[in-house]
Amino acid sequence: MLKIRFFRVGKKKQPSFKIVVTDKKNPPKGGRFVEEVGFLNPLTKERKLKKERIEYWISKGAKPSTSVYNLLIKEGVLEGGKIDVHKKSKKKKKEKKETEKPKKTEGVEKGEVKEEIKKPEEAKSEEVKPEEIKPEEIKPEKTKLEEKKEEAEPEEKKEEEKKEESPKEEKPEETTPED
């Protein structure tokens, strides 16, 4: 797959970039490229692009990197919106991974496992907001000891009920002779 990207040239602390068409597998610093289609000097803000050649390579299936894409938008070679190039924070990545956990679908035969990945937009709509949770609805999690006690309690109650239900021998009331 062909890629249009920056190829760094220049001295240390004096960067200059060629804009080249290269195979995606070739290294970005050094390595062969198919054609040079422009250059950029970020220190002097000088840039030159060969619009016809860039359009030709894009028509052949070459994909520009995000930085080159934004440069092409700025220069008017391509139309559309820019792409965010900055790195995303680790917190957002973790949240995104948590929301994309697979869920099992119904109607699956034995032996088959079918999973769908939720999109972050769908996951946000399904989440319950903290304002909507009422204090009555919040139930603390029970520990294993509490669960065992609850299991033992019904047995004790059953035993007590059995005792109460068993026919008690009613003693005839003793009557005292009245004098």
Side-chain angles (χ1 to χ4, degrees):
M1 179 175 171
L2 292 175
K3 195 88 168 159
I4 301 173
R5 66 179 178 205
F6 290 121
F7 181 84
R8 185 178 169 142
V9 292
K11 297 179 183 178
K12 184 177 181 181
K13 297 192 181 184
Q14 294 180 356
S16 182
F17 298 94
K18 290 180 181 181
I19 300 169
V20 297
V21 178
T22 184
D23 187 16
K24 185 178 180 179
K25 296 176 184 176
N26 290 344
K29 297 179 182 179
R32 294 183 170 186
F33 53 88
V34 178
E35 183 179 353
E36 182 181 344
V37 291
F39 75 91
L40 169 71
N41 187 343
L43 299 177
T44 61
K45 308 293 183 200
E46 184 182 358
R47 57 184 76 125
K48 183 178 178 182
L49 301 172
K50 298 176 186 176
K51 293 181 183 181
E52 300 83 27
R53 294 307 294 168
I54 292 171
E55 291 171 352
Y56 169 79
W57 283 110
I58 289 175
S59 70
K60 293 293 182 184
K63 302 279 184 191
S65 68
T66 54
S67 299
V68 172
Y69 180 82
N70 290 340
L71 178 67
L72 296 175
I73 296 288
K74 191 173 183 180
E75 291 296 314
V77 176
L78 297 177
E79 294 180 4
K82 290 186 175 183
I83 301 172
D84 292 335
V85 179
H86 57 81
K87 291 183 178 180
K88 294 181 182 177
S89 69
K90 291 181 180 178
K91 291 179 184 177
K92 290 183 181 179
K93 285 183 182 178
K94 287 181 183 177
E95 290 173 4
K96 188 175 181 179
K97 286 180 182 177
E98 290 173 4
T99 57
E100 290 181 353
K101 288 184 179 176
K103 67 174 189 178
K104 293 183 180 177
T105 57
E106 295 179 18
V108 180
E109 296 179 16
K110 283 188 176 182
E112 293 181 12
V113 178
K114 216 175 198 182
E115 298 177 345
E116 293 179 7
I117 297 176
K118 289 184 181 181
K119 294 181 180 176
E121 299 160 358
E122 293 174 2
K124 288 180 183 177
S125 64
E126 292 179 4
E127 290 178 1
V128 179
K129 295 179 181 176
E131 300 166 0
E132 296 176 8
I133 299 174
K134 296 177 183 177
E136 301 157 357
E137 296 175 359
I138 300 173
K139 296 178 182 177
E141 293 185 20
K142 297 177 181 177
T143 62
K144 290 182 181 179
L145 292 174
E146 291 174 352
E147 290 176 2
K148 287 180 182 178
K149 287 180 182 177
E150 286 183 3
E151 290 173 2
E153 285 178 10
E155 293 173 6
E156 292 173 4
K157 288 181 182 178
K158 288 179 184 176
E159 291 174 8
E160 290 176 7
E161 290 175 2
K162 287 179 182 177
K163 289 178 184 177
E164 291 175 4
E165 290 176 4
S166 62
K168 294 182 181 178
E169 296 178 14
E170 292 184 19
K171 297 179 181 176
E173 293 181 15
E174 295 180 14
T175 53
T176 55
E178 292 181 19
D179 293 305

